[in-house]
Amino acid sequence: MSTTVISTESSVIEEQLAAARDAVASRPKLARVALTACGGSYAVMLPAEYFFGTSATGLEAAAFNAAEFTSRASTRVDDETLVILCSHSGETPETVEAARHARARGALTIAFTHETESPLAQAAEYVIGYQHGPQKSESYVAPALLLRLIARILDDREQTSYVAAIDSAVASLPSLVPAARAAHAEAADAWAFAYRREPLIYTMAAGSNYGTAYSFAICLLQEMQWVHSAAIHAGEYFHGPFEITDVDVPFIALLGLDETRPVEQRAVDFLTEHTDRSLIIDAADFGLDGVDETVRGIVAHLIFNPVLRTYADALADHRGHPLSVRRYMWRMEY
Amino acid sequence: MSTTVISTESSVIEEQLAAARDAVASRPKLARVALTACGGSYAVMLPAEYFFGTSATGLEAAAFNAAEFTSRASTRVDDETLVILCSHSGETPETVEAARHARARGALTIAFTHETESPLAQAAEYVIGYQHGPQKSESYVAPALLLRLIARILDDREQTSYVAAIDSAVASLPSLVPAARAAHAEAADAWAFAYRREPLIYTMAAGSNYGTAYSFAICLLQEMQWVHSAAIHAGEYFHGPFEITDVDVPFIALLGLDETRPVEQRAVDFLTEHTDRSLIIDAADFGLDGVDETVRGIVAHLIFNPVLRTYADALADHRGHPLSVRRYMWRMEY
């Protein structure tokens, strides 16, 4: 995070997206997609893995932590492989190494980063520079652009028709996101005040929203608030984790709009019965009625992310612990 | 868990394994493998996913929580798909439903269960009845048999040569496991006494041992000890979770023998420097020198599981909270 570059302009991003799409389309044979990154950027890959997993019949897709990806040295990374990477600073050593590793094996590499002159941007063949910071457009953040790229890949290769619906949904984010954040502002403040002394808060979700729950647990709570956490998969909840449910154990549970909503709903029903300390955030309240029904589920995480940020901002405020504070990260060698 | 059946005899298990192998081999076209189960049985699938992921060039493999698997209703589950399932009681509703769902779509289904007359055994085409309880052979527990089946599938379909090495390693478990447990008995007792009042203990691993860390976190700690926990991927540790590391935060970190050991080692080095409360268990001490080097990494979890059980037994003893106690599971409808 040593450098701060102005975000890439939207017209340039559109060109980068088109170039990446063309590169994928012109690949004579493509068998699989590896989605690899670390931490919060890895979390961005999880809904992408879900989108492929529920929509592709030919392409295989899997998400990997970048250190694990490179260590495995899988023979499945070859010239029939598309490797999509993401690092905000573009300096995450494991992700840069993953890009080099993939490229050396002949894979097609596309990197998402905020810093388009970074080592990751140089290591990958194609770069998509996303926006970040107060001036950003919600349509040009990393997870939204990743979804748009995947919609193109799916439509080109899998005879689906997602592009128009996804592009339209992403175009509506600049109005949907502030409205959803505003609708949650009061609840977020009350929740943060009530939970400001909690040493542990669990998160829970399934399907395309599991990545959001994971990101909130490891980045917002563990990293930025030093609050213990774990992202519990709602389908796994009843096979172990639910036994730690108690009246005094706080949970944040997400109810999404994709195929796994019933899995999440079952966990929410149990939580609601056995603890008063659960916060349920339901994507049905995100005003997605104008979004094409076929993609409502897969775009919900694009609203969950900023809405949960509202809760994190409020928690940081009431705890007197800014989200920017670190004790190890960027402060020492590791 | 309402029924208790004597474990299947080893000669019968060998016949079941051979029948399952033959069924897979005679499948004219096989494109992918879905590994699906819940909780502790889902954890068993994770090293299997790693084994495929690092050894197969043709077959795609992915592990899914069974509820998520069925909810997705993926078009990728078809007659070119092998679905491997596992449920100890054979009564886990989500896993039984997953077997029915997969079979209805033409997939080849193989179930691992202790109860060979159970609903899961009836729902799947092929059944492998594994051993459990005090009379079991360590060579006939679920994860060992799953590894043997996969070695056969890989050798038959992927031009690998794992069967002899894996079979030999699995045959040595009845001597290796008790020796490893005995070697850790004193350390486990001391650790359990020292940590008996801890409300939270994290686990950490990567690669083929992540499943063991996950299982210990969600089944042994959360479910059976009501101790908060999360399994942290060692590669993800530096991208969020490491910020909650402190002198008073206990961790159990695994050092395995597969390709990802350097990823685990880096996390262990950081832990060792920043907290005195980490327990490091190293598979290099498991006496695996007699095991073929090419499979030492993938068989390590077969020792980690019972060694960690030694720590769980000791923790249960010092906490006065037997591993069999539940407050929700098997006690109510959910």
Side-chain angles (χ1 to χ4, degrees), chain A residues 3-309:
Chain A
T3 57
T4 304
V5 173
I6 304 288
S7 288
T8 309
E9 282 194 37
S10 58
S11 61
V12 176
I13 297 175
E14 293 295 343
E15 286 164 21
Q16 292 169 335
L17 190 62
R21 180 226 189 125
D22 289 347
V24 178
S26 62
R27 201 80 176 181
K29 201 173 170 207
L30 196 66
R32 62 194 79 85
V33 184
L35 304 149
T36 187
C38 295
S41 294
Y42 170 72
V44 169
M45 298 300 181
L46 297 177
E49 182 189 47
Y50 183 89
F51 195 14
F52 276 118
T54 49
S55 301
T57 51
L59 279 175
E60 159 196 355
F64 301 93
N65 164 270
E68 168 117 11
F69 173 81
T70 307
S71 299
R72 286 188 177 196
S74 169
T75 53
R76 294 169 75 76
V77 180
D78 59 17
D79 60 2
E80 295 181 8
T81 310
L82 166 63
V83 178
I84 301 179
L85 309 106
C86 183
S87 162
H88 185 73
S89 66
E91 292 177 353
T92 310
E94 301 97 308
T95 311
V96 176
E97 196 186 341
R100 291 182 183 138
H101 172 80
R103 202 164 164 182
R105 286 167 174 261
L108 175 61
T109 49
I110 301 173
F112 287 75
T113 178
H114 183 253
E115 309 295 338
T116 53
E117 304 295 320
S118 63
L120 178 62
Q122 285 158 19
E125 282 168 281
Y126 294 87
V127 180
I128 294 169
Y130 59 78
Q131 297 185 352
H132 177 75
Q135 305 302 319
K136 73 171 182 287
S137 160
E138 291 291 346
S139 297
Y140 288 97
V141 298
L145 293 169
L146 179 56
L147 220 55
R148 289 183 62 203
L149 176 63
I150 296 174
R152 281 155 174 68
I153 296 171
L154 288 169
D155 284 7
D156 286 344
R157 299 226 164 226
E158 301 275 351
Q159 290 80 50
T160 55
S161 50
Y162 285 122
V163 169
I166 291 284
D167 282 2
S168 167
V170 168
S172 68
L173 291 174
S175 62
L176 289 175
V177 167
R181 290 191 71 155
H184 280 268
E186 204 174 314
D189 189 68
W191 174 86
F193 182 77
Y195 290 79
R196 71 195 184 283
R197 303 247 163 78
E198 291 295 338
L200 177 146
I201 301 170
Y202 284 114
T203 67
M204 185 153 59
S208 60
N209 299 307
Y210 179 77
T212 297
Y214 177 74
S215 178
F216 198 79
I218 72 154
C219 295
L220 279 307
L221 292 175
Q222 289 183 313
E223 175 185 330
M224 302 184 192
Q225 287 296 291
W226 304 350
V227 168
H228 295 297
S229 189
I232 297 172
H233 186 285
E236 290 285 281
Y237 176 62
F238 294 101
H239 302 278
F242 82 145
E243 281 283 329
I244 43 80
T245 307
D246 209 336
V247 287
D248 60 348
V249 177
F251 272 80
I252 300 175
L254 309 184
L255 277 174
L257 300 170
D258 69 22
E259 298 82 352
T260 66
R261 183 180 172 98
V263 179
E264 296 172 324
Q265 185 68 60
R266 183 178 169 222
V268 163
D269 290 346
F270 188 91
L271 264 187
T272 308
E273 192 177 334
H274 294 276
T275 174
D276 301 326
R277 314 222 2 106
S278 58
L279 166 68
I280 315 298
I281 304 180
D282 189 343
D285 302 330
F286 287 168
L288 290 168
D289 316 32
V291 167
D292 191 297
E293 209 178 347
T294 60
V295 301
R296 232 175 263 168
I298 194 63
V299 303
H301 73 280
L302 302 175
I303 319 266
F304 271 126
N305 289 330
V307 163
L308 277 165
R309 185 68 181 217

Side-chain angles (χ1 to χ4, degrees), chain B residues 153-237:
Chain B
I153 296 170
L154 288 170
D155 283 7
D156 287 345
R157 298 226 163 226
E158 301 276 350
Q159 291 79 49
T160 55
S161 51
Y162 285 123
V163 168
I166 291 285
D167 283 3
S168 167
V170 168
S172 68
L173 292 174
S175 63
L176 289 175
V177 167
R181 291 192 68 154
H184 280 267
E186 206 174 311
D189 189 67
W191 174 85
F193 182 77
Y195 291 79
R196 70 195 185 282
R197 302 245 164 77
E198 292 295 339
L200 177 145
I201 301 171
Y202 283 114
T203 68
M204 185 151 60
S208 61
N209 299 308
Y210 180 78
T212 297
Y214 178 73
S215 177
F216 199 78
I218 72 154
C219 296
L220 278 307
L221 292 175
Q222 289 182 314
E223 175 185 329
M224 301 184 192
Q225 288 295 293
W226 304 350
V227 168
H228 295 298
S229 189
I232 297 172
H233 186 283
E236 290 284 281
Y237 177 61

Side-chain angles (χ1 to χ4, degrees), chain B residues 13-178:
Chain B
I13 297 175
E14 293 295 344
E15 287 165 20
Q16 292 170 336
L17 191 59
R21 180 226 189 124
D22 290 347
V24 178
S26 62
R27 202 78 174 182
K29 200 172 170 208
L30 196 66
R32 63 194 78 86
V33 184
L35 304 148
T36 187
C38 296
S41 294
Y42 170 72
V44 168
M45 298 301 180
L46 296 178
E49 181 189 46
Y50 184 89
F51 196 12
F52 276 118
T54 50
S55 302
T57 50
L59 278 174
E60 159 196 355
F64 302 93
N65 163 271
E68 168 117 11
F69 173 81
T70 307
S71 298
R72 285 187 178 198
S74 169
T75 51
R76 294 168 75 75
V77 179
D78 58 20
D79 60 3
E80 295 181 9
T81 310
L82 165 63
V83 179
I84 301 179
L85 310 107
C86 184
S87 162
H88 185 72
S89 67
E91 292 177 354
T92 309
E94 299 97 308
T95 312
V96 176
E97 195 186 343
R100 290 182 184 139
H101 172 79
R103 202 165 166 181
R105 286 169 174 260
L108 175 61
T109 49
I110 301 174
F112 287 75
T113 178
H114 183 253
E115 309 293 340
T116 53
E117 304 296 321
S118 62
L120 178 62
Q122 285 158 20
E125 281 169 281
Y126 293 88
V127 179
I128 295 171
Y130 60 78
Q131 297 185 352
H132 178 75
Q135 305 301 317
K136 73 171 181 290
S137 160
E138 291 290 346
S139 298
Y140 289 97
V141 298
L145 293 169
L146 179 57
L147 221 53
R148 289 183 62 204
L149 175 64
I150 295 173
R152 283 157 173 69
I153 296 170
L154 288 170
D155 283 7
D156 287 345
R157 298 226 163 226
E158 301 276 350
Q159 291 79 49
T160 55
S161 51
Y162 285 123
V163 168
I166 291 285
D167 283 3
S168 167
V170 168
S172 68
L173 292 174
S175 63
L176 289 175
V177 167

